């Protein structure tokens, strides 16, 4: 997700949850040993650098230099604003974020483009096997804007929540922030907002605010 300046502590402290759990889902294949991370994008192998569990930068081919945001799920922040709820400490959830990045880096995933780009000019791509793997391991949450999420992905999340996997180990709040946008962030049409996700349906809603977040406000 884009790094909007930093952590909404008051909002994040307000969410609470119940116990949870899950089954890991399969990957499209493993990249062996020290091989360079790559994805198969529209049938062609592309070397990539993983920024976090839901974003990568393409290093070669026609898309070289472009960042790509994977649709359908959201991984936790890997720096700056870190989610916080229940008994979690920020550093513990930062560790979950790093696990998501490592999991993405470890596989050879099949992805397709054609989704246009977001407001940050990142390519919007779909990587179904990776989505199932991270959501099923509790390393990401279902994230749906506009179209409803697939039932298979929601089922993987329910399984992870029931088992207490990954981010659901210490409970399942009914709603969680997914992306945070500071009031001083440039080019925000309509003002600052956070996206809040319903952890049962995966639906993301906009929550306007006037807060200013600092980079590394909680942890880096």
């Amino acid at each position: 997700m884009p790094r909007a300046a930093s952590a909404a502590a008051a909002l994040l402290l307000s969410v609470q949850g119940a116990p949870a759990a899950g089954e890991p889902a399969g990957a499209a294949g493993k990249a062996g040993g020290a091989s360079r991370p790559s994805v198969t994008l529209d049938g062609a192998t592309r070397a990539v650098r993983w920024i976090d569990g839901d974003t990568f930068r393409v290093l070669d081919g026609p898309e070289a230099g472009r960042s790509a945001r994977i649709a359908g799920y959201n991984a936790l922040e890997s720096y700056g604003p870190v989610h916080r709820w229940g008994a979690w400490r920020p550093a513990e959830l930062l560790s979950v974020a790093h696990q998501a990045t490592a999991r993405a880096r470890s596989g050879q995933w099949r992805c397709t483009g054609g989704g246009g780009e977001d407001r940050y000019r990142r390519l919007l791509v779909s990587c179904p096997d990776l989505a199932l793997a991270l959501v099923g391991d509790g390393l990401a949450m279902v994230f749906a804007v506009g179209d409803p999420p697939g039932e298979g992905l929601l089922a993987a999340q329910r399984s992870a929540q029931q088992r207490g996997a990954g981010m659901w180990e210490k409970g399942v709040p009914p709603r969680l922030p997914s992306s945070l946008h500071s009031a001083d962030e440039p080019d925000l049409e309509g003002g600052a907002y956070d996206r809040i996700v319903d952890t049962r349906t995966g639906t993301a809603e906009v929550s306007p605010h006037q807060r200013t977040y600092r980079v590394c406000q909680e942890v880096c």
Side-chain angles (χ1 to χ4, degrees):
M1 76 172 62
R3 308 303 175 197
S6 227
L11 176 63
L12 307 188
L13 281 171
S14 67
V15 291
Q16 300 177 2
E23 291 274 341
K30 293 283 184 179
S35 8
R36 195 177 192 184
S38 63
V39 302
T40 302
L41 182 59
D42 293 327
T45 300
R46 299 283 182 247
V48 300
R49 179 175 68 83
W50 287 94
I51 297 168
D52 56 28
D54 56 43
T55 310
F56 61 82
R57 182 176 293 276
V58 184
L59 301 180
D60 58 14
E63 307 88 358
R66 298 291 304 272
S67 291
R69 173 62 162 93
I70 304 170
Y73 71 89
N74 189 69
L76 298 183
E77 297 283 358
S78 59
Y79 72 92
V82 175
H83 301 298
R84 179 149 50 102
W85 68 89
W88 286 107
R89 292 184 294 109
E92 293 174 325
L93 286 172
L94 180 62
S95 175
V96 174
H98 288 162
Q99 290 174 52
T101 306
R103 182 80 168 92
R105 201 178 279 139
S106 72
Q108 173 65 44
W109 312 102
R110 293 186 295 269
C111 304
T112 56
E117 57 183 39
D118 65 9
R119 64 182 292 268
Y120 297 94
R121 297 187 57 80
R122 298 177 302 182
L123 300 171
L124 293 174
V125 303
S126 174
C127 308
D129 292 337
L130 176 55
L132 280 171
L134 291 184
V135 171
D137 285 347
L139 300 178
M141 69 182 85
V142 178
F143 178 78
V145 178
D147 295 333
E151 181 53 40
L153 202 56
L154 279 177
Q157 177 160 287
R158 284 194 296 269
S159 179
Q161 291 171 342
Q162 289 161 10
R163 196 173 109 186
M167 70 173 72
W168 313 119
E169 180 183 347
K170 299 186 180 185
V172 182
R175 287 156 52 87
L176 281 177
S178 66
S179 59
L180 310 176
H181 299 271
S182 180
D184 59 0
E185 183 177 340
D187 304 323
L188 277 178
E189 294 183 10
Y193 68 93
D194 297 332
R195 284 199 183 273
I196 311 298
V197 179
D198 185 312
T199 59
R200 181 181 60 87
T201 67
T203 302
E205 299 177 352
V206 170
S207 175
H209 66 82
Q210 297 181 340
R211 292 182 295 275
T212 299
Y213 304 146
R214 300 191 311 274
V215 174
C216 299
Q217 183 167 314
E218 294 198 14
V219 66
C220 280

